[in-house]
Amino acid sequence: MIDPASIEKFEQIATPFYYYDMELLGHTVDILASLSRKYDIDVHYAVKANVEKRILERISSSGLGADCVSGNEVLRALECGFPAGKTVFAGVGKSDREIYDAMTAGIEAFNCESLHEIYVINAMARAYGMRARVAVRINPNIDAHTHKYVTTGLFENKFGIAGHEFDALADLLGRCDSIDFTGLHFHIGSQITEVGDVFALEARRTGEIVSYFEDKGLKVDNVDFGGGLGVDYEDPDGNSVARFELWMKTVSDNFPRRPGQKLHLEPGRSVVAQCGSLISRVLFVKRGETKNFLILDAGMNDLIRPALYGAYHKIENLSSHFRRSFSEMQAYDVVGPVCESSDVWGQGRLLPMSVRGDLIAIRSAGAYGQVMASRYNLRDFAPAVFSDDLGNAPRYEDYFSRLP
Ligand SMILES: *Cc1c(COP(=O)(O)O)cnc(C)c1O
């Protein structure tokens, strides 16, 4: 819940902006860190979900590692307090520059996604007289039962190395002289809600694949199950912390861990989604032929998930909390200002009767929100505003004195 004291302060702040509840973030991260110790599973936060420095610093301070998918993310993670020894680097297309920088920094591991990449990293390590630690991302052909754009573990997806190349992979690893093979990596998709079923299947399939490589004479010291734990977009207040314990227990119960073997998870969305909200104002209310439109000053360039995936975000009228009299509920199509018909926050949403200037929160926007923003329509980027630093947010009056 966004507390009323903060909402009162929002009145002074220029919209749209990303609001981050640092208390909820801290609470979430502390729970995760303590479960990581309880189940003896290393956790790497998937940096791509949110790269705000204050957020990264809070996460690194709890001792979690970082999972990066670009060279700049590796550099940002290091800058924000994640040790190189707890930073891994995945992604299907790492450039030479990115590989060189990460190798020089001495990261925990490259999660390699093709034989060609392993070959190139080995050659670069040899050329520069360095050694690189390499884990191999496997495509286990598991359906994560999630949106097709966030499914990554099926043979039709570009990620990981699939079964028909396993023999060639074992052979190649045997011939590489400048890399150290550290283990296997998986990541089958995002916003996975069938936690018990999907992750149990992944853990069992992983067990079989680990055995296969052990039979080939490779020692698999590390097994990384990736991220993908879903969050509750419908009820962000009822389920403000994701089901981390069920996730870890499912993996532990279904994977036959070898003595000395280290297990890893890489949550992104589930760490940061619920602490963020996109805060906007109603610009206009328009009566259409068959429906009412609520036109906000936040658009798809600020948060693209609804337009890109048809994603649902809960929408709240924050100003209505302060109205004395009961306001009637109305169905609205809530839309943004961008010149695209897909710039829609939600259709037929029931909200208290809303007026120009009302503050509207688009909830669960902490993950894959600000990081995917663009300047389409030459709109400004919505800045980050932190709950413990509301006084420093850009003021509404800084832009113009209030209009009627
Ligand atoms: C994106 C990503 C994650 C995080 O996924 P979430 O669904 O946000 O938890 C983890 N590992 C890899 C390799 C990724 O690309």
Side-chain angles (χ1 to χ4, degrees):
M1 219 189 72
I2 302 178
D3 70 287
S6 300
I7 298 174
E8 273 181 40
K9 296 198 179 116
F10 291 174
E11 289 293 345
Q12 311 302 320
I13 302 175
T15 48
F17 62 90
Y18 274 93
Y19 169 73
Y20 294 110
D21 179 340
M22 296 306 277
E23 205 176 308
L24 177 58
L25 175 69
H27 177 64
T28 305
V29 168
D30 290 343
I31 289 177
L32 190 52
S34 99
L35 287 169
S36 160
R37 291 187 288 272
K38 176 174 171 189
Y39 286 90
D40 188 23
I41 297 179
D42 279 9
V43 173
H44 291 78
Y45 163 64
V47 168
K48 73 171 182 287
N50 191 305
V51 298
E52 278 301 300
K53 288 185 181 169
R54 283 213 49 206
I55 289 180
L56 294 183
E57 283 162 2
R58 180 62 185 84
I59 297 172
S60 70
S61 74
S62 67
L64 304 185
D67 164 45
C68 305
V69 290
S70 75
N72 285 345
E73 281 190 6
V74 171
L75 300 179
R76 172 70 65 92
L78 300 177
E79 198 185 315
C80 293
F82 291 97
K86 284 188 183 179
T87 299
V88 297
F89 182 10
V92 292
K94 304 175 185 77
S95 72
D96 293 6
R97 177 65 195 263
E98 290 176 312
I99 293 170
Y100 178 81
D101 285 347
M103 207 184 301
T104 312
I107 59 164
E108 178 178 355
F110 289 92
N111 290 333
C112 293
E113 308 222 12
S114 63
L115 300 194
H116 202 171
E117 180 188 344
I118 298 170
Y119 177 87
V120 167
I121 291 181
N122 183 61
M124 283 182 67
R126 190 189 310 117
Y128 292 108
M130 295 193 268
R131 292 196 74 77
R133 283 173 293 279
V134 162
V136 177
R137 178 163 175 183
I138 300 295
N139 183 330
N141 197 31
I142 289 175
D143 189 344
H145 293 167
T146 182
H147 192 283
K148 72 175 171 25
Y149 287 2
V150 294
T151 291
T152 56
L154 286 173
F155 285 158
E156 68 199 55
N157 303 128
K158 68 183 174 183
F159 301 98
I161 294 172
H164 69 282
E165 285 194 308
F166 284 180
D167 286 344
L169 171 63
D171 196 51
L172 173 66
L173 288 170
R175 282 185 286 115
C176 287
D177 54 8
S178 298
I179 59 175
D180 299 307
F181 171 72
T182 63
L184 298 177
H185 174 234
F186 301 79
H187 173 66
I188 58 173
S190 198
Q191 186 51 17
I192 294 168
T193 51
E194 296 166 30
V195 180
D197 293 342
V198 170
F199 289 110
L201 180 63
E202 186 199 18
R204 288 196 296 269
R205 182 78 56 88
T206 300
E208 293 161 17
I209 296 171
V210 167
S211 298
Y212 177 90
F213 283 98
E214 285 173 339
D215 291 346
K216 292 263 168 197
L218 287 168
K219 199 158 166 291
V220 183
D221 290 331
N222 293 276
V223 181
D224 186 334
F225 299 91
L229 179 64
V231 303
D232 193 340
Y233 282 98
E234 315 252 336
D235 186 10
D237 296 322
N239 293 303
S240 56
V241 178
R243 292 186 284 171
F244 296 120
E245 181 143 28
L246 175 62
W247 190 28
M248 291 197 185
K249 189 170 183 314
T250 301
V251 166
S252 292
D253 289 352
N254 289 280
F255 180 78
R257 190 199 282 232
R258 282 41 164 182
Q261 199 168 45
K262 280 175 81 179
L263 304 188
H264 306 258
L265 289 171
E266 301 167 340
R269 183 191 310 274
S270 51
V271 182
V272 291
Q274 300 295 27
C275 76
S277 296
L278 178 60
I279 308 295
S280 175
R281 277 189 172 83
V282 174
L283 291 175
F284 307 114
V285 186
K286 175 155 94 171
R287 235 168 244 295
E289 188 74 37
T290 54
K291 41 173 79 166
N292 293 318
F293 292 100
L294 212 54
I295 302 167
L296 307 187
D297 64 5
M300 62 188 281
N301 71 297
D302 300 305
L303 173 65
I304 202 175
R305 299 188 67 257
L308 187 60
Y309 311 124
Y312 176 93
H313 284 267
K314 190 170 182 204
I315 300 171
E316 281 172 14
N317 183 323
L318 300 177
S319 301
S320 72
H321 294 317
F322 297 103
R323 296 219 233 286
R324 289 248 177 84
S325 55
F326 173 78
S327 29
E328 209 181 307
M329 299 300 272
Q330 275 263 347
Y332 293 102
D333 274 21
V334 185
V335 303
V338 172
C339 299
E340 296 284 340
S341 293
S342 58
D343 187 21
V344 174
W345 294 112
Q347 290 181 312
R349 295 293 183 94
L350 273 183
L351 292 170
M353 184 89 79
S354 303
V355 298
R356 173 169 165 81
D358 276 0
L359 286 162
I360 303 288
I362 295 157
R363 303 290 309 276
S364 314
Y368 306 113
Q370 211 185 342
V371 285
M372 285 190 172
S374 79
R375 291 207 54 202
Y376 184 41
N377 285 195
L378 205 52
R379 286 166 50 78
D380 292 322
F381 282 123
V385 168
F386 299 96
S387 58
D388 54 3
D389 194 25
L390 287 172
N392 279 321
R395 318 286 290 177
Y396 195 66
E397 296 82 45
D398 292 348
Y399 293 79
F400 48 83
S401 52
R402 280 194 185 235
L403 297 171

